[in-house]
Amino acid sequence: APEPVAESTSRPLLTAVPSYSDATLEAPAQLETARLETAEPDDELTPQLVESTRPPRILIQRMQLVSAGLGVTTSVSLTWLGDSFVGESSAAATPSSVHRSVAVPTLRALEEVVGSAARFELEQLEINQLGPDRAVVVVVAMLTRVGSERLTGVSVVREDVRQAVIRATLDALNRRLESLLHPA
């Protein structure tokens, strides 16, 4: 019986590029190497290296929450390329308002980072149970000259829900921020 013939002479197989976990938001820009393997017709794998430069990430510097009377004032400081950017917000002292008062100054600080390239608005914030863990889910509207887009971010709550709110907010925008910070 004749042996079957493959219709495709090569199939790219990509291996995952290492990424930084939420615990290492402070990771410096570095050259990462991903391994790209292609399957040859005789199924021998020939490795080829593909290099990509990851742009520097926006880092969480500090979050300050001051409770006074019936309200809270929140300040979130982010750093990018050695510069500090601060956003502030005030809200009522209810649990959901406190969480929103952490996300909103994060967005204001991000607006400072990108200048007039974009505006951000918090559409929704929820804390959900996912198996044994809790996770913060945020939906952010991003408005640019091109139009608007709704983006979603998620972060597992480790110790402090407020830190998870900041990480989820950054998660929603990280990939889009790269294009705003480094236009092609």
Side-chain angles (χ1 to χ4, degrees):
E3 292 192 26
V5 177
E7 291 184 28
S8 173
T9 59
S10 69
R11 301 180 311 266
L13 303 171
L14 295 175
T15 58
V17 174
S19 64
Y20 300 112
S21 68
D22 286 339
T24 58
L25 289 172
E26 298 81 22
Q30 67 182 35
L31 188 64
E32 293 184 349
T33 304
R35 184 181 174 120
L36 174 66
E37 298 178 335
T38 57
E40 299 298 324
D42 59 358
D43 287 332
E44 290 181 11
L45 295 178
T46 306
Q48 299 174 355
L49 295 179
V50 177
E51 295 180 353
S52 66
T53 303
R54 172 180 229 151
R57 308 262 329 234
I58 295 171
L59 310 175
I60 301 168
Q61 183 177 33
R62 181 174 56 95
M63 188 245 344
Q64 181 178 9
L65 186 121
V66 178
S67 179
L70 301 176
V72 295
T73 302
T74 308
S75 171
V76 173
S77 299
L78 305 174
T79 60
W80 185 64
L81 297 177
D83 293 325
S84 185
F85 302 89
V86 179
E88 295 182 347
S89 175
S90 295
T94 66
S96 63
S97 292
V98 169
H99 298 142
R100 292 180 71 78
S101 79
V102 173
V104 169
T106 303
L107 294 173
R108 295 303 153 258
L110 289 169
E111 287 176 347
E112 292 293 319
V113 173
V114 300
S116 62
R119 289 290 315 259
F120 307 109
E121 192 64 39
L122 180 65
E123 297 275 318
Q124 190 166 352
L125 185 148
E126 291 185 12
I127 301 169
N128 296 308
Q129 192 69 35
L130 293 174
D133 298 316
R134 291 185 310 154
V136 174
V137 179
V138 297
V139 178
V140 175
M142 180 179 79
L143 180 64
T144 64
R145 289 180 183 92
V146 178
S148 66
E149 188 175 1
R150 288 172 48 105
L151 306 164
T152 304
V154 141
S155 180
V156 172
V157 176
R158 293 187 194 129
E159 295 153 12
D160 184 6
V161 174
R162 296 166 297 191
Q163 289 290 329
V165 168
I166 296 171
R167 288 192 311 268
T169 304
L170 290 173
D171 181 57
L173 296 167
N174 268 337
R175 291 212 165 122
R176 296 303 191 265
L177 290 174
E178 289 178 9
S179 66
L180 296 173
L181 297 171
H182 306 286

